[in-house]
Amino acid sequence: VEVKVPHGGVQVHFLRIGPQGRIWAGASYVDAQKEERPWGIVVIGLDGKALFHRSSTLPEEDRPSGSLALPDDLRDVSFLQGDLWLATGSGICHVIGKTQKIVQITENEGLASELVYGIARDPEGRLLVGTFGGLGRYDGKFWHFDFPAPLTSAARTMVPARGGIMVATLWLSRKARTV
């Protein structure tokens, strides 16, 4: 699928297989000043056609049918019970089911940090979020950031492993260790 960006080529930050087998890809590009610029998310259908979701300055009437005004700086996506949960540099963007109502979740709603790197489900289906402020979980009403160290440090990514979740953190120890 060809993805046109304002300058250079597209960079892909993540790929996820979503509902109905579509591919979800977080995109960015490098501008003429060699600075990375976010470019939203591309959803590729089984027919090979792409649908772009961006918060660009396009007015509603210029948006392709089905396109959502999502933040451009998307870092990860998770699918849970018909909802989309998107990790962004400005919190979590929650797209609610068929209504497609967009709710932005920030520190005001209980996140430890609005810099969200990843979002995933654990083996029990609970939502986990990796933020600059550590690993958190959502109980359906509230966010909890009560995991022990090193999960209190920036949690960069999460992957399912051995019936649990492996979390990559930026844990700094005062004691040097050789690995």
Side-chain angles (χ1 to χ4, degrees), residues 26-45:
S28 69
Y29 69 96
V30 177
D31 68 13
Q33 290 75 34
K34 299 190 184 325
E35 292 186 32
E36 186 175 351
R37 301 288 180 194
W39 196 246
I41 197 164
V42 182
V43 181
I44 304 165

Side-chain angles (χ1 to χ4, degrees), residues 40-41 53-55 69-74 86 88 90 93 102 104:
I41 197 164
H53 299 293
R54 301 190 63 245
S55 67
L70 299 177
D72 291 344
D73 63 340
L74 297 168
L86 301 141
T88 79
S90 55
C93 182
I102 298 172
Q104 189 70 18

Side-chain angles (χ1 to χ4, degrees), residues 68-85:
L68 297 172
L70 299 177
D72 291 344
D73 63 340
L74 297 168
R75 297 161 186 250
D76 201 3
V77 62
S78 187
F79 311 93
L80 184 62
Q81 299 171 342
D83 289 0
L84 290 176
W85 294 84

Side-chain angles (χ1 to χ4, degrees), residues 57-75:
T57 56
L58 289 176
E60 190 70 31
E61 60 271 12
D62 291 339
R63 276 190 195 289
S65 176
S67 178
L68 297 172
L70 299 177
D72 291 344
D73 63 340
L74 297 168
R75 297 161 186 250

Side-chain angles (χ1 to χ4, degrees), residues 1-4 10 23 42-45 47-52:
V1 172
E2 183 179 354
V3 177
K4 293 182 181 180
V10 69
I23 297 172
V42 182
V43 181
I44 304 165
D47 58 2
K49 293 183 180 175
L51 178 62
F52 298 88

Side-chain angles (χ1 to χ4, degrees), residues 3-24:
V3 177
K4 293 182 181 180
V5 291
H7 186 270
V10 69
Q11 295 185 359
V12 176
H13 291 274
F14 66 86
L15 287 172
R16 299 283 183 264
I17 303 295
Q20 296 91 36
R22 292 180 285 186
I23 297 172
W24 291 66

Side-chain angles (χ1 to χ4, degrees), residues 44-144:
I44 304 165
L46 298 175
D47 58 2
K49 293 183 180 175
L51 178 62
F52 298 88
H53 299 293
R54 301 190 63 245
S55 67
S56 69
T57 56
L58 289 176
E60 190 70 31
E61 60 271 12
D62 291 339
R63 276 190 195 289
S65 176
S67 178
L68 297 172
L70 299 177
D72 291 344
D73 63 340
L74 297 168
R75 297 161 186 250
D76 201 3
V77 62
S78 187
F79 311 93
L80 184 62
Q81 299 171 342
D83 289 0
L84 290 176
W85 294 84
L86 301 141
T88 79
S90 55
I92 294 171
C93 182
H94 179 196
V95 182
I96 302 171
K98 294 184 186 216
T99 66
Q100 295 193 326
K101 178 181 176 188
I102 298 172
V103 177
Q104 189 70 18
I105 301 165
T106 66
E107 291 174 3
N108 292 336
E109 289 75 36
L111 293 180
S113 170
E114 291 176 7
L115 186 53
V116 181
Y117 298 113
I119 196 156
R121 290 179 294 155
D122 70 9
E124 288 81 40
R126 294 175 297 208
L127 197 62
L128 298 176
V129 61
T131 74
F132 184 76
L135 183 70
R137 61 185 168 77
Y138 185 59
D139 69 8
K141 287 189 175 191
F142 301 103
W143 291 94
H144 302 275

